[in-house]
Amino acid sequence: MTIIKSSGPSVGTYPDDKDLYTFIFEHWPSYRFDPRTKSLPLLIDEPTGQSWTFEQCRDRVDHLAAGLRDQLGVRRDTVVCIFSPNSVDYLIAILALHKLGAVASCANPAYNASELSYQIDASKSTAIFLGEEALKVGGEAAEKAKMRKDHVVIMQTPRTTQGKGALKGGAKREGEAWYLEGLVAEGRDSKELHKGRVTLKPGEARKKLAFLSFSSGTTGLPKGVMIQHYAPLSNIQQFASFNGMISGKGTRFLPGRDVSLGGLPFYHIYGLVVGLLWTFYSGITNVVLPRFSGIEPMIKTTLKYGITLWWLVPPQVVLLVKDPKAKPYLPQLAKQVRFLMIGAAPLSDDVSKQLDKALPGVDWGQGYGMTESCTVLSMHPPGIKPVYGSAGRLVSDVEAQVVSPEGKVQPVGELGELWARGPSVTLGYLNNQKATDEMWVKEGGWLRTGDEVKFNEKGDMFILDRLKELIKVKGFQVAPAELEGWLLNHEDVADAGVIGLPDDMSGEIPVAFVALSQTAKERVAKDGSGEEGKIKEGLMRFVADNKIRYKHLGAVHIIDAIPKNPSGKLLRRELREQAKKLPAP
Ligand code: 4UU
């Protein structure tokens, strides 16, 4: 048995009687703060520069929680969807829900109404926070879900609540919906600020849900991942410990000195745990960007706010090293940016080399994690040079084994599926025991990651392939089963198979293979290959008009039959073989 252990310092014991609200606001270990840093701005709204200290955040959370309790009846186990671009109130909303024992289900703010409805239904959300930009789509989805109108909370931004153009002069409600600000005002007046606060018994944090995040896992449609409080609470400590923050020896990150780029989407596990919860817990100032709107704006924000920590996905790094707009800023960035983590999809060696040249001397490396592991399993360790192609080493208190397709545990250096275990592994998929059993191995407490890896003797992990169906476009999840199901709704399609093909900019791009329906075949027989072209275009549009942008197809190929094994399982490997033989587009 070869079990690979983390070389990072162990955290020791993790509290298992604390929800995240309590952990973050009351379990405030001394390494994070000397008294002076209490006045640090911890969250900064990038567009306006408005900022909040730790205590201002806590007050806002307390007021919002009281408002949610009294006006919406939010309590233990109420599930509330958050559908919003990044904003300072994203964290406030999450922690207010957690204080009441409610569960946050964060959705991609660019979803369309049907994509959002799917998540609202699957998570059984009974209330929703809507970012102002997300009002139309969110309103539609809430109505479809028959959500009560007064269970909609509009998250205004400082831009619209202050100064010129302030929304409705500080009104508490819009029609029947609440403004978040209105709930805060209600809560501020509350005589029983902390009534309804959840308390967990010893061990309970290991079971009590904090988040329902969506991931397709190994196969099938996106599923709600049951994330218990203990998981993110552990992961932020593992991250801190691995980087020397708990021992205090060689601390990689420092409150007061470091400023984080809050640009990863907070609905996604990487942005949520690393880019939001960990920074806040660590007392590190976080500049919150509504979204990534190009490499140049990101660089300008970085320089304007003195940002030193970058959390990126590979396509952003490609832009950084290749886009001529970025070039003039590189020397300045190399002086200012102290740490750069890249994750959520593979980073090529070529881009890695260029990055080393672009930002000489900057501490950077890959991180690796997944929704089901409530995030970071490995990252680039402090104090060494980046190892091209490596997703880093196991973070504190993570163990791994590499398993062959025959189920044999491999010696170090051999290829196989990564099985990982540690305190941040989540509980499973909501209402889907079968998919849970396929991924969470009861014996040994392992999580099967569906990623093919190998380790070297030093503990560097290399991700070589993805064994699961999942496609990653710019780090976003695309479930082939979702696109296949959607294509089957089209009258021209008898059967469909979707795979991801490599793409320079996006990492991967979904491509569909379809077998035509009888009527479509007849049209082709009558009108020839011109009709085939029209059918392909029609199918590309059918996806483009109904799915979020990163799910759009790069190409459609018509084939006679979708390859299946005798039990009817789609053979994606064969589609991949066929794709190799196709002429380049
Ligand atoms: C090759 O993408 C994520 C989480 C990413 C993350 C988290 C913490 C990155 C850095 C970090 O510190 O989650 P999901 O659930 O959307 O997708 C998980 C899958 C993995 O199973 C793997 O296939 O995304 C892929 N993946 C990567 N692949 C994640 N990181 C990497 C990586 N290289 N560095």
Side-chain angles (χ1 to χ4, degrees):
M1 282 269 269
T2 313
I3 292 182
I4 299 153
K5 291 182 190 296
S6 169
S7 57
S10 171
V11 171
T13 41
Y14 297 85
D16 64 5
D17 59 347
K18 291 191 170 41
D19 64 284
L20 268 171
Y21 168 92
T22 304
F23 180 70
I24 284 189
F25 286 124
E26 291 179 7
H27 193 77
W28 196 249
S30 56
Y31 74 84
R32 277 180 292 169
F33 272 131
D34 68 46
R36 279 164 304 167
T37 54
K38 272 213 166 151
S39 56
L40 268 184
L42 277 194
L43 294 176
I44 298 182
D45 175 60
E46 183 265 340
T48 59
Q50 197 184 341
S51 67
W52 287 259
T53 64
F54 172 73
E55 272 160 20
Q56 286 168 332
C57 289
R58 189 179 51 200
D59 286 348
R60 194 164 169 81
V61 168
D62 286 339
H63 296 150
L64 178 60
L68 287 168
R69 174 197 69 201
D70 294 343
Q71 305 305 328
L72 275 73
V74 171
R75 62 190 64 199
R76 199 182 164 113
D77 296 335
T78 307
V79 182
V80 180
C81 183
I82 304 181
F83 182 61
S84 170
N86 285 3
S87 75
V88 166
D89 280 333
Y90 212 103
L91 181 71
I92 305 295
I94 286 171
L95 293 176
L97 292 172
H98 286 165
K99 182 178 182 186
L100 300 170
V103 182
S105 183
C106 305
N108 187 331
Y111 272 167
N112 64 34
S114 66
E115 289 165 321
L116 177 61
S117 294
Y118 175 83
Q119 182 165 334
I120 291 176
D121 290 346
S123 62
K124 299 203 168 54
S125 295
T126 54
I128 191 165
F129 285 95
L130 297 180
E132 274 181 305
E133 298 89 332
L135 281 187
K136 195 171 160 287
V137 172
E140 244 176 74
E143 207 174 302
K144 211 171 141 222
K146 301 203 169 58
M147 211 177 258
R148 281 173 53 162
K149 291 221 171 75
D150 60 352
H151 281 189
V152 173
V153 182
I154 304 168
M155 300 168 93
Q156 294 159 290
T157 61
R159 283 186 303 295
T160 52
T161 52
Q162 282 171 18
K164 227 170 98 191
L167 248 182
K168 318 261 191 281
K172 289 187 177 170
R173 309 180 79 149
E174 162 75 45
E176 288 172 86
W178 283 94
Y179 285 126
L180 185 143
E181 213 57 57
L183 290 173
V184 167
E186 291 286 325
R188 208 179 281 129
D189 295 339
S190 171
K191 301 230 160 36
E192 298 172 293
L193 196 57
H194 301 295
K195 199 179 85 185
R197 177 175 175 180
V198 76
T199 48
L200 301 183
K201 295 189 200 78
E204 219 182 334
R206 295 173 188 267
K207 292 279 169 238
K208 172 76 192 77
L209 295 196
F211 297 102
L212 273 171
S213 292
F214 278 67
S215 167
S216 65
T218 317
T219 177
L221 296 175
K223 296 169 277 289
V225 180
M226 297 189 284
I227 301 180
Q228 71 283 30
H229 284 267
Y230 189 72
L233 173 161
S234 297
N235 204 234
I236 55 186
Q237 293 180 87
Q238 292 171 273
F239 196 97
S241 188
F242 190 70
N243 292 295
M245 299 177 79
I246 291 183
S247 69
K249 284 188 207 127
T251 294
R252 198 181 210 173
F253 309 112
L254 266 187
R257 177 192 66 193
D258 284 318
V259 179
S260 154
L261 177 80
L264 284 175
F266 293 155
Y267 88 88
H268 183 250
I269 204 77
Y270 178 19
L272 177 67
V273 176
V274 179
L276 186 62
L277 296 176
W278 172 79
T279 52
F280 193 75
Y281 163 79
S282 303
I284 283 173
T285 302
N286 201 2
V287 179
V288 177
L289 273 67
R291 60 179 61 75
F292 175 75
S293 54
I295 196 71
E296 206 181 5
M298 184 185 105
I299 291 172
K300 286 189 169 157
T301 297
T302 299
L303 296 174
K304 177 173 167 198
Y305 285 100
I307 289 169
T308 59
L309 310 178
W310 266 359
W311 322 102
L312 303 180
V313 293
Q316 294 171 314
V317 181
V318 173
L319 288 175
L320 184 74
V321 299
K322 296 211 158 127
D323 192 328
K325 286 205 271 318
K327 203 157 183 211
Y329 299 104
L330 293 174
Q332 223 178 327
L333 289 169
K335 274 194 228 135
Q336 181 183 315
V337 175
R338 296 187 53 263
F339 176 76
L340 159 55
M341 175 139 116
I342 304 145
L347 182 77
S348 74
D349 284 6
D350 175 47
V351 175
S352 306
K353 276 185 205 133
Q354 292 185 49
L355 178 61
D356 251 351
K357 276 209 202 101
L359 299 178
V362 172
D363 177 14
W364 71 268
Q366 287 188 57
Y368 161 82
M370 55 201 298
T371 311
E372 290 82 350
S373 67
C374 194
T375 331
V376 193
L377 289 170
S378 71
M379 74 179 283
H380 179 64
I384 67 165
K385 284 197 170 141
V387 181
Y388 296 160
S390 169
R393 297 184 191 164
L394 299 176
V395 297
S396 299
D397 299 327
V398 171
E399 293 181 335
Q401 59 183 18
V402 175
V403 182
S404 75
E406 297 75 37
K408 235 181 81 221
V409 178
Q410 303 282 69
V412 170
E414 296 293 315
L415 263 186
E417 184 184 8
L418 174 71
W419 292 24
R421 67 182 175 199
S424 72
V425 170
T426 60
L427 301 178
Y429 295 120
L430 183 69
N431 300 327
N432 196 332
Q433 196 58 47
K434 184 167 170 281
T436 302
D437 290 343
E438 277 165 13
M439 214 159 149
W440 281 260
V441 183
K442 283 207 183 79
E443 205 187 313
W446 296 105
L447 177 72
R448 296 182 60 166
T449 64
D451 291 309
E452 188 175 57
V453 304
K454 84 177 181 204
F455 283 85
N456 66 17
E457 293 292 342
K458 291 183 189 144
D460 298 309
M461 184 175 83
F462 297 82
I463 300 173
L464 299 156
D465 202 357
R466 208 175 296 132
L467 302 164
K468 51 192 171 189
E469 284 179 2
L470 177 65
I471 301 171
K472 280 261 160 143
V473 181
K474 299 188 171 174
F476 292 109
Q477 288 203 2
V478 179
E482 181 186 338
L483 292 179
E484 286 155 6
W486 178 248
L487 285 167
L488 283 173
N489 291 326
H490 196 286
E491 58 182 7
D492 290 346
V493 176
D495 202 359
V498 172
I499 56 169
L501 292 183
D503 178 81
D504 276 351
M505 257 328 294
S506 303
E508 278 182 295
I509 196 152
V511 167
F513 287 78
V514 297
L516 294 182
S517 65
Q518 198 50 40
T519 53
K521 274 189 199 155
E522 282 162 15
R523 284 194 340 260
V524 172
K526 211 164 102 222
D527 299 335
S529 61
E531 186 61 26
E532 272 198 4
K534 277 190 218 152
I535 290 173
K536 288 183 194 174
E537 263 171 49
L539 293 176
M540 304 257 295
R541 224 176 315 117
F542 185 57
V543 172
D545 289 347
N546 292 286
K547 298 283 171 189
I548 191 170
R549 196 182 175 100
Y550 60 79
K551 296 179 190 165
H552 295 182
L553 297 172
V556 173
H557 301 291
I558 295 175
I559 55 177
D560 292 337
I562 303 298
K564 304 257 169 86
N565 77 3
S567 59
K569 192 173 166 352
L570 205 155
L571 295 169
R572 278 172 222 284
R573 247 170 227 279
E574 265 185 42
L575 286 180
R576 252 177 242 133
E577 289 307 313
Q578 296 201 22
K580 279 187 200 147
K581 292 182 204 131
L582 290 166

